């Protein structure tokens, strides 16, 4: 199998090319897993936690969505955040041959939802297919994750188009600094440093039309919210 991946701000765009002789090609989305936090409380010097989450499979729309409540700074700090969650939604361009939910080593074919720790959902595909997936993330809701997909990588957008748009953004940022009189190695060091300053971006706002506190926030209003997913 080969995989290509690119991203927008809040959406990842992936392409899986499965070999023709692959018996049961599948994509598995892990919603929750054991997390290891450094701590002297155990002999090994670590503390293992088991965050809860949920998954929903919608075969009619070729979609798998979910949530994860893990927040490691809450686990090691004094300030609980019971409403905290990260949400995701993955939309595939190919019909599921079959699907299901896996939890703690138990696979349930045909299941369309699950909740708890050590949880994930999967979709199987026909052999030899090329599968495109657009995966949106949000700290608001699954619906907002879907909205992010449509805002940033709408249905029908090819991976090449996403890559071209992302490349244009990088050229715009990095290309603002012009250098004269430097060697190729010096330019490489400079532009690599500039690239690194923007490599791990953190966006603290989202375009949202989700109703909150009885009020509809217009789609184009910028609302402050932490978006710390790395795509």
């Amino acid at each position: 199998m080969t995989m290509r991946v690119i991203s927008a701000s809040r959406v990842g765009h992936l392409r899986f090319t499965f070999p023709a002789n692959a018996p049961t090609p599948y994509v598995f989305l892990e919603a929750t897993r054991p997390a290891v936090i450094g701590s002297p409380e155990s002999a090994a010097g670590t503390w293992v936690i088991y965050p809860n989450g949920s998954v929903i499979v919608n075969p009619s729309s070729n979609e798998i969505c979910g949530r994860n409540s893990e927040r490691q700074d809450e686990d090691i700090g004094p300030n609980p955040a019971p409403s905290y969650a990260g949400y995701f939604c993955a939309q595939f361009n190919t019909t599921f041959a079959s699907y299901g939910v896996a939890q703690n080593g138990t696979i349930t074919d045909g299941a369309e939802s699950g909740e708890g720790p050590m949880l994930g959902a999967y979709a199987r595909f026909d052999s030899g297919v090329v599968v495109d997936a657009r995966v949106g993330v949000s700290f608001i809701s699954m619906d907002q994750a879907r909205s992010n997909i449509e805002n940033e990588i709408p249905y029908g957008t090819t991976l090449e188009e996403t890559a071209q748009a992302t490349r244009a953004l990088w050229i715009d940022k990095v290309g603002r600094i012009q250098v004269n009189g430097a060697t190729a190695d010096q330019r490489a060091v400079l532009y690599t440093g500039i690239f690194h300053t923007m490599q791990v971006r953190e966006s603290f706002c989202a375009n949202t039309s989700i109703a909150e506190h009885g009020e509809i926030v217009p789609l184009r209003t910028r609302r402050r919210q932490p978006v710390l997913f790395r795509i």
Side-chain angles (χ1 to χ4, degrees), residues 12-198:
H13 200 165
L14 304 93
R15 176 178 295 165
F16 305 92
T17 303
F18 296 100
N21 60 352
T24 53
Y26 69 93
V27 173
F28 177 72
L29 282 82
E30 188 176 55
T32 60
R33 61 185 176 185
V36 178
I37 300 177
S39 169
E41 297 298 324
S42 67
T46 58
W47 176 22
V48 180
I49 62 170
Y50 297 87
N52 286 310
S54 62
V55 290
I56 299 174
V57 183
N58 190 340
S60 63
S61 59
N62 305 323
E63 183 180 77
I64 297 176
C65 300
R67 64 182 292 276
N68 183 307
S69 62
E70 180 180 352
R71 176 172 170 259
Q72 291 193 1
D73 55 339
E74 174 196 356
D75 295 310
I76 64 176
N79 301 313
S83 298
Y84 173 90
Y87 300 88
F88 68 88
C89 212
Q91 297 179 349
F92 298 86
N93 70 331
T94 305
T95 302
F96 298 166
S98 62
Y99 55 87
V101 171
Q103 185 169 19
N104 196 20
T106 299
I107 297 175
T108 307
D109 278 328
E112 296 186 2
S113 64
E115 190 163 348
M118 301 178 67
L119 177 71
Y122 60 87
R124 297 191 184 98
F125 304 94
D126 294 330
S127 297
V129 300
V130 176
V131 178
D132 269 29
R134 297 168 298 147
V135 185
V137 296
S138 171
F139 277 140
I140 297 176
S141 66
M142 295 182 199
D143 284 339
Q144 183 60 43
R146 289 190 189 95
S147 178
N148 288 340
I149 294 174
E150 290 308 308
N151 285 336
E152 297 186 10
I153 308 179
Y155 178 80
T157 304
T158 66
L159 186 80
E160 289 75 16
E161 289 171 338
T162 302
Q164 184 177 9
T166 300
R167 188 177 297 112
L169 289 174
W170 277 109
I171 292 173
D172 174 62
K173 302 299 183 185
V174 178
R176 295 181 183 186
I177 297 177
Q178 301 296 323
V179 179
N180 296 318
T183 67
D185 287 344
Q186 289 171 332
R187 289 195 300 272
V189 170
L190 174 65
Y191 286 115
T192 298
I194 296 171
F195 166 78
H196 284 164
T197 66
M198 297 180 285

